[in-house]
Amino acid sequence: MTSFRVLTFNCLFRGAARERLDAVGRLLDKSNIDFLCLQEVTQRRNVRLLESRLASYRAAEYRPHAGIAVKGGLVNLALAPIERSSYEVFRE
C-alpha cells in the first residue's frame, strides 16, 4: 500500500503574518509531507516567502487576483510535480 501525506493549514493572515509564514515554511520544509494546501496566504509576496522557505517543494500553485492578491488565499505545494490544477468558485 502506498501512502500519501496531505496537510491543509490555515495560516491566519492577521497580525505578524510574514513572521508566522516564515516559521511555518521552515518547519514544513523539514516535514516530508507530500502535498501542502495553505489557506489565508493573501498576498503574492507571502507566496514568494513560502517558496523560499519550502525549498524541498516545487513552485507554488495558486491563482493571482487583483494586483497583489492570491485568489481565495489558497496556495498548494507538492514534493512531486503538480501535473494540473484548477480553481473553482462555488457561489453557495
Side-chain angles (χ1 to χ4, degrees), residues 21-31 53-54:
L21 291 173
D22 181 61
V24 164
R26 290 174 191 273
L27 239 145
L28 290 177
D29 194 49
K30 299 173 186 172
S31 70
R53 298 304 180 254
L54 292 162

Side-chain angles (χ1 to χ4, degrees), residues 15-88:
R18 286 187 63 79
E19 291 83 359
R20 187 171 36 261
L21 291 173
D22 181 61
V24 164
R26 290 174 191 273
L27 239 145
L28 290 177
D29 194 49
K30 299 173 186 172
S31 70
N32 207 26
I33 295 170
D34 298 298
F35 187 83
L36 304 172
C37 177
L38 304 178
Q39 304 160 39
E40 301 292 331
V41 181
T42 59
Q43 297 179 13
R44 282 188 254 167
R45 72 185 192 127
N46 291 340
V47 174
R48 289 189 297 275
L49 171 66
L50 284 168
E51 287 177 315
S52 71
R53 298 304 180 254
L54 292 162
S56 301
Y57 290 81
R58 305 292 178 141
E61 287 286 330
Y62 66 96
R63 297 290 180 262
H65 181 69
I68 64 169
V70 172
K71 192 164 192 139
L74 300 174
V75 177
N76 298 309
L77 297 106
L79 290 175
I82 298 174
E83 292 181 18
R84 66 178 179 266
S85 68
S86 69
Y87 184 94
E88 303 294 329

